[in-house]
Amino acid sequence: MSRFNVKKVAVLGAGVMGAQIAAHLVNVRVPVVLFDLAAKEGPKNGIVLRAIDNLKKQKPAPLGDVADAALIEVANYEDDLAKLGDCDLVIEAIAERMDWKLDLYKKIAPHVSKNAILASNTSGLSITKLSEALPEELKPRFCGIHFFNPPRYMFLVELINTPTTQPQVLDQLEAFVTSTLGKGVVRAHDTPNFIANRVGIAGMLATLKEVEKFGLTPDVVDDLTGKKLGRASSGTFRTADVVGLDTMAHVVKTLQDNLNAETDPFYANFATPPVLAKLLELGNLGQKTKAGFFKKVGRDILRFDLKSGDYVAGGEKADEVYGRMLKRPAAERLKLLRESEGPQGQFLWAILRDGFHYAAVHLATIAESARDIDFAMRWGFGMQQGPFELWQQAGWAQVAKWVQEDIDAGKALSTAPLPKWVFEGPVAELGGVHTPEGSWSASLNKFVPQRQLPVHARQLFPESVLGANATDPTTAGTTISDEGDVRVWTLDGEVLIASIHSKMNAISPDVAESLAAAVDLAEAEYQGLVIWSPDDKFSVGADLQAMLPAFVVAGIGAVEGAEEELQKVMLKIRYASVPVVSAIRGLALGGGCELAVYSAKRVAAMESYIGLVEVGVGLVPGAGGLTYIARRAAENAAASTGTDLLPFLTEGFTAAAMAKVGTGALDSKKLGYLLDSDVIVPNKDELLYVALQQAKAMADAGYRAPLRRSFRVAGRSGAATIKGQLVNMRDGGFISAHDFHIASLIAEVVTGGDIDAGSLVTEEYLMALERKAFCSLIVHPKTQERIMGMLSTGKPLRN
């Protein structure tokens, strides 16, 4: 099969989804042309231009770098249809109207390249019906593609075939969506609302039914159905507000219009809930209108009360006993909830039971296997576990018995019995739907393995489902050592891997010592070293809790010694004779950022948040972060025609003094924490593979560590200039006196202290200044207040 090389993509429709899909394409450096109707007034591409301009203002930001909005090519259907011929993929993303989509297909069909894939981004319309408007030669290359909102951040993409879609088309598209767009793909059957919205919206409607039955309020329900239940922190009603109540209503209507009591035994529950109907009538559509189930007034969060038709005081929390129940093991948790006498516990059991019931009844028609449903709910609705995973973990036979008893007793939302395969045959015998051989397919009546395409070979430890016995990245490969909260191991005997596994992957003196030992071993026996952890925290920085006892017992000398040792580790990493590659995913803060910038190369997942945040706890970066800023400024100045260091220093100083964190890898590159030579990986599950390949390539190319060089600094005059600006900020009330003090210390370090402008310094010289500033702050009462505040609340204290 020839490689599907996507050189350019066309997105049809510059609405909310179309524009954001185009934004994500430029995030991953895919050229894109965005189409919409020709404007009746002003520039013909005015509709698209306004949509692109709106991308720059949206939160969360659809663009990794707002300047990249200029990379989106604009077009309209009147003048520019010929541009479709240059596109390898055409994604239609206009409004969810079957007639509008069919009309557009007739217009574009003659212009679509003979080798291009045409895909409709729809949340639930029949892909087969849409295909009927296409010429015969285009039908094999047509399918559904359902991005979840917002496309940049949501991992799930559903692909839907028609009876005429060529299998290789879905394989080609899945490879592109997985590796280039960085998504998790689920193949869905062409049924109303596909998988995630079918199960998820049915679950939300069931929740609203049970809320009404048990008389609970939205704030209590969100407290119960958020993180405590292993779901998205926004819970049920807040999630609906974020998605948009009009969007939710549209998905509900798709169920209402395309299903009936014969095709879905839960159909009676699909009526628009009275509270949703009332909010729609009021035009309160959620976050987009600043009022939905909740409304923020000043600092207060009000909730909508259907009886009064108005907003009332909110903020009520669930009974703490249920929070404790939800921390129990799965089997015990479900038993306690089912036997609970309180309405909150009964409600929780009811919504879990309804979820098990609905997923089991519909598995055969909506998905190839139970794995697809579990992945769809995890990736599309923020659940830690899908319904089948939780059911299996809690004890398949026991939970099935409880659910069927509730159905028989008339407590469930439908009288439909659980399918026979739940109680008889392989699933019952093996105790669940997920096994090492595969997951249960009710339509094929067998366990089916996870699909394996060539692109999946890049995922060394892909996400898996409970019961699949997937390889655990914390024990995989050959362990060389596991001391000081760092596991040193290898997969291939060629490149060494160091995985920090302290709390939040924080860097303690023991972690630093283990990393230094890993560098020594890599230099002696391996081609390189990759620093990687399998979670969403590369490292949150120095372990303050480990530092404080040393300070209390041995005084400031112990802290200064620990900082000096950590600085030596950073220099050891920088000047190692083999390449050290930091594979960054999620948070790389403080010392984690310093660990990254001292590596020979960085391979970062698209959603990596990198920054020097020590100011938040009243400190300055003390493990070489400020030295890095000064050195990079000198290197950038040397590569330019200018002689003044300050313009090159300002951005780095500001980032450190304001504790700026990159809002993704692209923004982190703008802040200087990632370089143009670094690699950004869209799919988090490909991160380790790419990092290992980079280390090997650098070694094969004859890697040599950078030579130790002195570099110019801005000196006392540079520091004076920066401090002058800080005085204005302090006197204007923009920063506190302690912020001014910390920023002044940062300015002194990055400019080299009390020396002449243009003086040459070494990294060791600046690191000594860092240590001095760091230690002067750790004994400061205001800094100690900030440290204790962070340790107790997890939030920065501004004093």
Side-chain angles (χ1 to χ4, degrees), residues 172-188:
Q172 291 171 334
L173 190 55
E174 178 168 345
F176 172 74
V177 170
T178 299
S179 196
T180 304
L181 301 189
K183 301 302 178 185
V185 171
V186 165
R187 304 267 185 110

Side-chain angles (χ1 to χ4, degrees), residues 534-612:
D535 55 27
D536 285 325
K537 294 171 288 294
F538 176 72
S539 173
V540 298
D543 188 344
L544 293 175
Q545 287 181 312
M547 184 187 298
L548 288 179
F551 171 57
V552 171
V553 173
I556 197 63
V559 174
E560 184 173 7
E563 283 299 296
E564 185 173 9
E565 289 304 311
L566 187 53
Q567 291 173 343
K568 288 179 180 178
V569 172
M570 297 301 175
L571 291 176
K572 177 184 277 286
I573 288 169
R574 173 166 165 74
Y575 294 108
S577 61
V578 294
V580 179
V581 178
S582 280
I584 306 162
R585 169 182 167 188
L587 300 176
L589 305 177
C593 175
E594 290 166 317
L595 189 59
V597 299
Y598 275 85
S599 298
K601 198 178 193 70
R602 287 139 296 278
V603 175
M606 181 65 71
E607 296 309 321
S608 296
Y609 305 93
I610 308 172
L612 297 170

Side-chain angles (χ1 to χ4, degrees), residues 265-294:
F266 294 79
Y267 185 75
N269 302 294
F270 293 163
T272 303
V275 63
L276 178 59
K278 184 62 178 178
L279 287 167
L280 292 170
E281 178 189 329
L282 294 171
N284 295 356
L285 307 180
Q287 184 171 279
K288 67 182 76 174
T289 60
K290 300 184 179 180
F293 286 109
F294 297 102

Side-chain angles (χ1 to χ4, degrees), residues 391-465:
W391 182 347
Q392 184 165 329
Q393 186 182 31
W396 184 265
Q398 180 61 73
V399 174
K401 180 174 181 289
W402 286 339
V403 173
Q404 190 59 53
E405 285 176 355
D406 278 13
I407 296 169
D408 295 339
K411 296 179 180 179
L413 295 180
S414 169
T415 58
L418 290 174
K420 287 185 179 179
W421 58 260
V422 170
F423 299 100
E424 303 172 4
V427 171
E429 292 166 8
L430 294 173
V433 292
H434 300 307
T435 71
E437 290 72 37
S439 294
W440 183 249
S441 172
S443 57
L444 299 175
N445 202 39
K446 65 179 182 179
F447 292 99
V448 296
Q450 195 161 352
R451 182 177 292 101
Q452 287 298 316
L453 300 176
V455 69
H456 296 143
R458 296 167 59 87
Q459 301 182 6
L460 300 180
F461 301 103
E463 285 197 53
S464 187
V465 286

Side-chain angles (χ1 to χ4, degrees), residues 458-463 471-477 485-491 495-502 505 511 515 518 529-539 573 580-587 592 595-596 599 601-605 608 681 683-692 695:
R458 296 167 59 87
Q459 301 182 6
L460 300 180
F461 301 103
E463 285 197 53
T471 304
D472 184 351
T474 64
T475 57
D485 285 328
V486 178
R487 179 178 177 239
V488 180
W489 56 293
T490 183
L491 277 172
V495 177
L496 203 60
I497 305 169
S499 297
I500 304 171
H501 54 79
S502 55
N505 297 341
V511 167
L515 288 174
L529 171 66
V530 169
I531 303 173
W532 172 83
S533 292
D535 55 27
D536 285 325
K537 294 171 288 294
F538 176 72
S539 173
I573 288 169
V580 179
V581 178
S582 280
I584 306 162
R585 169 182 167 188
L587 300 176
L595 189 59
S599 298
K601 198 178 193 70
R602 287 139 296 278
V603 175
S608 296
V681 181
N683 194 310
K684 58 184 175 58
D685 292 330
E686 296 183 0
L687 184 65
L688 180 58
Y689 170 88
V690 175
L692 291 171

Side-chain angles (χ1 to χ4, degrees), residues 29-66:
R29 297 300 179 256
V30 175
V32 59
V33 53
L34 181 60
F35 282 80
D36 211 301
L37 296 167
K40 295 180 180 178
E41 297 180 0
K44 268 200 166 182
N45 290 319
I47 294 173
V48 177
L49 290 169
R50 284 192 294 273
I52 293 173
D53 189 57
N54 193 45
L55 289 172
K56 304 173 188 177
K57 308 168 188 173
Q58 290 178 27
K59 298 293 181 184
L63 290 159
D65 181 350
V66 292

